[in-house]
Amino acid sequence: MTLRRVCVFCGSAPGRDPGYTEAAQGFGALLAIRGIEVVTGGGGVGMMGAVARGALGAGGRVIGVIPRVLVEREQAFPGLSEIIVTASMHERKQRMAALSDAFVALPGAFGTFEELCEMVTWTQLGIHHKPLGLLDVLGYWRALLALFDHAVAEGFLTPRNRALVLSHADGQALLAALAQAHPAWPAAPLAPENA
């Protein structure tokens, strides 16, 4: 699969370790250098702003999608290539998904968790067939990946569906994995307990 646009989900905070924002800026630059457009949440602060600055600084194109209610609260990034203002958070996610070929989650909090879980659920249900990966900066995603593995062990998640979430600590390796992914199914349901 050719990645023309990648949606990056990440926090509006920078995190405590400067390595988080350094990685976000570096990933934005990597996407731009590879000729991949970036779709973000449109904010100019925290990780979101760092991804956009990295991409723009490397000559890339960044499309921000932000709900009207958050334009002032998240300090919409004024230097983006394009800003799309939506009426709601739901419309924001739909537009981001429609614009993108794949999704990458960098460190963030509830909004990031919800966005990545919704996108992988849409893949699981066959609503779209777009790959999703976690850029595991400083081991940030280890606990969530362990939770996904626990859900498999406890019979709530199939191994096939667990495999929908790719992860790597290296941005280039993650992009290569996303380009090779083929999540073209609605996923297999869990077998009944006594079947």
Side-chain angles (χ1 to χ4, degrees):
M1 150 188 282
T2 301
L3 299 177
R4 293 161 300 178
R5 281 188 188 149
V6 169
C7 179
V8 180
F9 298 129
C10 57
S12 57
R16 290 188 179 174
D17 192 310
Y20 290 125
T21 52
E22 288 168 17
Q25 193 159 342
F27 188 65
L30 173 64
L31 290 169
I33 290 164
R34 304 260 311 252
I36 300 170
E37 293 185 2
V38 181
V39 178
T40 73
V45 294
M47 298 285 282
M48 222 184 301
V51 169
R53 281 190 297 279
L56 293 168
R61 179 172 160 75
V62 181
I63 301 168
V65 184
I66 189 167
R68 189 171 290 111
V69 70
L70 294 182
V71 169
E72 290 182 13
R73 191 185 303 176
E74 287 197 19
Q75 304 169 7
F77 200 122
L80 297 182
S81 311
E82 182 180 351
I83 282 246
I84 298 169
V85 179
T86 63
S88 68
M89 292 290 282
H90 294 295
E91 184 187 346
R92 176 199 216 181
K93 285 181 291 186
Q94 289 171 333
R95 291 295 295 275
M96 291 172 91
L99 288 167
S100 306
D101 299 314
F103 309 95
V104 172
L106 275 66
F110 288 136
T112 305
F113 305 157
E114 186 267 337
E115 288 164 337
L116 76 91
C117 285
E118 183 156 4
M119 289 306 113
V120 76
T121 300
W122 289 7
T123 303
Q124 178 178 282
L125 295 174
I127 294 170
H128 65 209
H129 303 295
K130 300 178 181 183
L132 179 138
L134 307 178
L135 185 59
D136 195 18
V137 180
L138 302 175
Y140 185 79
W141 293 116
R142 280 186 211 140
L144 183 63
L145 292 167
L147 175 61
F148 293 164
D149 292 337
H150 179 64
V152 172
E154 293 299 314
F156 290 100
L157 180 62
T158 65
R160 183 179 183 188
N161 292 345
R162 165 62 183 87
L164 293 172
V165 181
L166 307 171
S167 65
H168 210 289
D170 177 75
Q172 294 201 54
L174 182 58
L175 289 176
L178 290 168
Q180 293 172 11
H182 300 287
W185 54 76
L190 289 170
E193 203 170 324
N194 296 318

